[in-house]
Amino acid sequence: MWEAIRANKIRSRVLISAMGGTLIALGAVFGAVYHAEAGAAVGAVFALGIWGLLVLVAFTGGDKMLLMSAGAKKIEKQDAPRLWNIVEEMTIASGLGSMPDVYVIDEDAPNAFAVGQDPSRSAVAVTRGLLRRLNRDELQGVVAHEMGHIRNLDVRFMTLAAVMLGSIVLLSDVFLRSLWFGGGRRRGRGGEGGQAQLILVGVSILLAILAPFLARLLYFACSRQREFLADASAARFTRYPEGLASALEKISRPTSGKVGRKGANRALAPLYIVRPEGFRSLTGMFSTHPPLERRVSILRSMGGGAGYAAYEKAWKQGGGEGSLLDARTLSGDQSLSARQGTPEPETKKEAQETVREVLDVFDRLAGFLILGCACGVRIKVPEGYAKPTVPCTRCGRENPVPQAAEPEAATAAATGAATYRRKSGAWESFRCPCGRNVQISPAFKGEFKKCPACSRKIKILQPD
Amino acid sequence: MTGTIIFVVAVVVIGAILVGMYNGLVRLRNQVRNAWSQIDVQLKRRHDLIPNLLETVKGYAGHEKQTLENVVKARSQAQSATGVEAQSMAEGALSSALGRLMVVVEQYPDLKANQNFLALQEELASTENKISFSRQHYNDSAMVMNNKVESFPSNIIAGMFGFKREPFFEIQDEAEREAPKVQF
């Protein structure tokens, strides 16, 4: 693990210096466009100045700024004891010296991220949606993933890289704008070395457009690699890869429809555990996160192992090229096996639903007819019920009881082609040849209704 | 002249490497000791939680005397145990006593719905986790330390300054190995 961190550090330095070089070169070229002699030096210094300023801001209060912009609130133990305990557990498992601050974001989209300059000053933030949806093992997996980011020094690197990327984008932007608005002034000076100047301007424009693009590419590539590494760390800390796998699966499931992303912005996107909603779902080079299915399938194919070696093997099987972790980390790693999951008590609601489902089956067997009212109540009609409609107990709506109101022509059942003539424009239900009751709403204007049970298409005729 | 310079440079470089190795070993040893103390902290936490837990359970299931007494006894034994072996055995016994208590608690729906009890349950479950995670971390640190102590060239420095292999924290007692994890 320690070797992995060292490798990470080296990689970070290479990346940071590459980006720094690009930044200085950019400044120099832009400066040269404005002034042939002293311009390059001034430009480079200017670029460095911008960078220094941004780094200063990022390192003095960058984490707080990120948390604030995500709408995160710091919590104490009594606010969310389970989350707090899990963060404590993962602090111990990861061997961090001090526990990160815990933040909660008041948002329904399940997501989480970590920020901080170094492991002793860091923070973990999760959304309320995440707390609500995940069970203990899953939440532990997610927190372990964030701890992995902190432990592997990803958070500091990402902050630095984000600032660097920001400066490059800013510089290019300023330059392109000034060229646009200040063009006339320079043209007036004209005359001396016009040709060379023109080429330089062309090159600089090209650079201004290309540099941010390339920097972004580099940044995102790194961020993807780090997601895998953090997953590996999470498996190792918890000794339970299934926890994170199942959490990722739950998070990716679009349960609550369109999910807000008021907190997430472009700078924050790579920090989250999964790509926040609303960012284009590119899986290619610009993606900040590897595809979730791949992460889940890697975690699930660790074959009962929980160490780095097991993750690396699964990662290679999952199509990973090269190697994720260095040889020394892998050789020093014991063969670790995963633990058993913690059994969760079925929540009350789930238990209630199970009971209801079982009862429904019995009722159906006893010949009850189960009607779904439009308000959501399920009405059970006994077999001998005589009236043509039954009132709903909640909304009082009269629900028509299918009087074996067979689709016209009993023979139709045999051929599979059934028709049903509507009696009125109100809620109606009829019995499909397969025995299932099908309901049609007043708004239904289609020609065919698909039976939800046998998926037979039944022709619907409008009332005479 | 050149020979002397090369010699001096070589001595300085080798010296720096040796110092680095020594410092690395010291850092690792401290890490291992710190990890060890973490286990103690968590065990103590568990001892502190038990009186509260028993108090709450008594209110609903006071007549389960035997089970409650077993927990009390196991706790005081665990607190007074000294030495790694005795301690881990006593802690194992405490774990299984708690496990049995939790099985008994299953029969009291009122107790299971009690807010105070739910909070304690979470605390206890988390403490159990913390104990196993601190063991896990201790073993990880001990492994790194042992790799360094045994492999060349750091084993030379380790031998010179008396850095030793750290024992792994194994579960010594057969009973603890089989002890039911505290489950809810």
Side-chain angles (χ1 to χ4, degrees):
Chain A
M1 185 186 333
W2 288 264
E3 276 77 19
I5 294 170
R6 196 177 309 151
N8 232 355
K9 267 186 186 164
I10 293 167
R11 216 175 297 149
S12 309
R13 280 188 199 135
V14 170
L15 182 85
I16 296 286
S17 16
M19 280 176 122
T22 315
L23 189 67
I24 293 170
L26 220 56
V29 172
F30 294 165
V33 170
Y34 282 98
H35 199 279
E37 292 106 48
V42 172
V45 169
F46 181 65
L48 268 182
I50 289 186
W51 179 66
L53 199 74
L54 285 176
V55 165
L56 206 71
V57 170
F59 269 71
T60 46
D63 47 347
K64 292 273 172 325
M65 260 161 54
L66 286 174
L67 285 164
M68 238 166 67
S69 74
K73 289 197 182 60
K74 195 171 172 180
I75 62 152
E76 289 303 319
K77 179 161 183 173
Q78 64 267 23
D79 301 325
R82 196 172 70 160
L83 173 66
W84 188 275
N85 275 335
I86 287 173
V87 174
E88 263 181 358
E89 283 163 26
M90 286 302 107
T91 309
I92 293 169
S94 60
L96 283 179
S98 58
M99 181 178 157
D101 292 336
V102 187
Y103 284 77
V104 168
I105 304 166
D106 205 4
E107 193 176 328
D108 197 47
N111 224 332
F113 68 88
V115 292
Q117 280 96 53
D118 56 82
S120 65
R121 256 184 62 202
S122 52
V124 175
V126 304
T127 63
R128 284 218 182 279
L130 190 85
L131 287 181
R132 225 192 42 244
R133 285 194 185 89
L134 301 188
N135 67 29
R136 201 170 202 290
D137 276 339
E138 290 162 349
L139 191 59
Q140 201 178 50
V142 170
V143 171
H145 172 98
E146 299 309 332
M147 284 295 187
H149 277 313
I150 295 174
R151 188 87 177 82
N152 301 341
L153 301 177
D154 290 351
V155 281
R156 172 167 53 181
F157 165 76
M158 293 311 267
T159 317
L160 258 184
V163 166
M164 197 75 94
L165 174 63
S167 337
I168 290 177
V169 172
L170 190 72
L171 202 67
S172 302
D173 217 39
V174 167
F175 173 72
L176 283 178
R177 270 166 211 273
S178 70
L179 210 60
W180 189 256
F181 292 114
R185 185 157 41 92
R186 210 183 45 258
R187 220 175 283 131
R189 218 172 52 216
E192 0 103 34
Q195 190 94 44
Q197 188 76 3
L198 213 63
I199 291 169
L200 200 59
V201 170
V203 166
S204 62
I205 290 176
L206 205 68
L207 260 178
I209 293 165
L210 274 183
F213 178 82
L214 289 175
R216 221 167 263 160
L217 219 63
L218 218 63
Y219 177 55
F220 291 154
C222 265
S223 114
R224 282 199 301 274
Q225 177 93 347
R226 273 152 205 279
E227 288 305 315
F228 283 126
L229 263 177
D231 280 356
S233 307
R236 196 173 197 283
F237 293 158
T238 57
R239 299 284 201 272
Y240 190 58
E242 178 56 30
L244 179 60
S246 133
L248 289 176
E249 216 172 44
K250 262 194 197 173
I251 294 172
S252 66
R253 214 179 295 151
T255 38
S256 58
K258 212 70 219 140
V259 139
R261 45 159 289 248
K262 67 171 184 243
N265 52 42
R266 216 169 347 177
L268 268 170
L271 296 174
Y272 280 93
I273 184 164
V274 293
R275 187 173 43 78
E277 200 71 35
F279 290 93
R280 282 166 302 162
S281 59
L282 292 169
T283 44
M285 290 191 295
F286 275 112
S287 165
T288 53
H289 286 71
L292 271 179
E293 309 84 62
R294 204 171 142 212
R295 286 167 69 188
V296 171
S297 82
I298 290 174
L299 286 166
R300 290 233 163 106
S301 52
M302 286 173 71
Y308 284 138
Y311 191 88
E312 167 101 359
K313 200 168 153 230
W315 183 73
K316 278 193 177 139
Q317 275 170 0
E321 282 163 28
S323 71
L324 190 62
L325 293 150
D326 56 308
R328 277 183 71 190
T329 310
L330 294 173
S331 69
D333 206 30
Q334 315 142 289
S335 55
L336 304 167
S337 50
R339 66 175 168 86
Q340 295 289 311
T342 325
E344 289 279 322
E346 259 188 301
T347 60
K348 262 208 182 109
K349 201 179 166 202
E350 278 166 357
Q352 234 173 38
E353 260 164 21
T354 317
V355 167
R356 186 179 292 159
E357 268 164 26
V358 171
L359 287 179
D360 279 357
V361 169
F362 280 122
D363 285 342
R364 267 186 228 278
L365 281 175
F368 276 78
L369 187 66
I370 298 170
L371 284 180
C373 175
C375 72
V377 167
R378 289 194 297 178
I379 310 165
K380 290 181 184 170
V381 191
E383 204 172 10
Y385 193 75
K387 288 184 212 153
T389 60
V390 59
C392 170
T393 44
R394 188 200 283 170
C395 63
R397 185 184 276 122
E398 289 286 335
N399 287 280
V401 179
Q403 299 291 333
E406 318 294 5
E408 284 173 17
T411 50
T415 58
T419 50
Y420 175 71
R421 184 173 295 279
R422 297 186 70 164
K423 297 196 183 63
S424 61
W427 280 95
E428 259 176 87
S429 59
F430 63 91
R431 200 192 290 265
C432 168
C434 73
R436 165 79 185 234
N437 284 304
V438 185
Q439 200 167 46
I440 10 182
S441 81
F444 185 80
K445 290 280 177 282
E447 211 174 329
F448 288 97
K449 177 84 185 170
K450 203 166 167 186
C451 169
C454 63
S455 49
R456 182 184 275 131
K457 275 187 179 168
I458 296 142
K459 195 166 166 70
I460 305 293
L461 299 172
Q462 291 304 322
D464 299 322
Chain B
M1 187 59 202
T2 349
T4 335
I5 291 173
I6 289 172
F7 179 75
V8 168
V9 167
V11 164
V12 167
V13 165
I14 289 172
I17 290 173
L18 292 183
V19 167
M21 268 181 203
Y22 177 80
N23 287 345
L25 281 167
V26 169
R27 209 187 56 235
L28 282 174
R29 191 170 60 188
N30 287 339
Q31 208 166 22
V32 170
R33 282 183 187 160
N34 179 39
W36 181 259
S37 66
Q38 266 299 320
I39 303 179
D40 273 347
V41 169
Q42 297 309 329
L43 288 175
K44 184 157 182 323
R45 250 181 72 93
R46 181 162 73 162
H47 298 158
D48 294 344
L49 275 173
I50 288 172
N52 254 331
L53 178 75
L54 291 181
E55 214 43 56
T56 315
V57 174
K58 257 184 209 158
Y60 292 84
H63 51 278
E64 302 278 358
K65 268 214 166 68
Q66 193 56 48
T67 322
L68 292 171
E69 269 167 22
N70 280 344
V71 176
V72 174
K73 214 159 68 190
R75 173 179 179 258
S76 63
Q77 268 168 5
Q79 273 181 317
S80 59
T82 48
V84 177
E85 210 157 317
Q87 203 181 353
S88 74
M89 215 142 97
E91 291 297 341
L94 179 56
S95 284
S96 54
L98 278 172
R100 277 195 295 277
L101 176 66
M102 287 307 158
V103 171
V104 167
V105 159
E106 281 298 306
Q107 298 157 12
Y108 298 88
D110 288 351
L111 174 57
K112 276 170 74 186
N114 179 300
Q115 279 305 317
N116 199 7
F117 178 72
L118 285 176
L120 277 169
Q121 228 179 9
E122 162 63 29
E123 283 308 301
L124 198 61
S126 174
T127 311
E128 296 280 340
N129 281 349
K130 283 170 196 160
I131 291 170
S132 65
F133 283 129
S134 49
R135 269 183 198 161
Q136 177 184 309
H137 177 62
Y138 169 79
N139 281 344
D140 286 356
S141 313
M143 183 196 65
V144 175
M145 173 86 188
N146 292 346
N147 283 349
K148 273 273 182 314
V149 168
E150 284 171 6
S151 59
F152 183 80
S154 47
N155 62 348
I156 301 170
I157 299 281
M160 267 161 64
F161 294 96
F163 288 94
K164 290 197 187 64
R165 264 189 70 91
E166 297 287 341
F168 287 121
F169 192 113
E170 316 244 23
I171 297 170
Q172 324 237 331
D173 175 34
E174 205 56 38
E176 190 181 358
R177 221 179 276 255
E178 283 161 22
K181 218 176 152 301
V182 179
Q183 292 172 347
F184 308 109

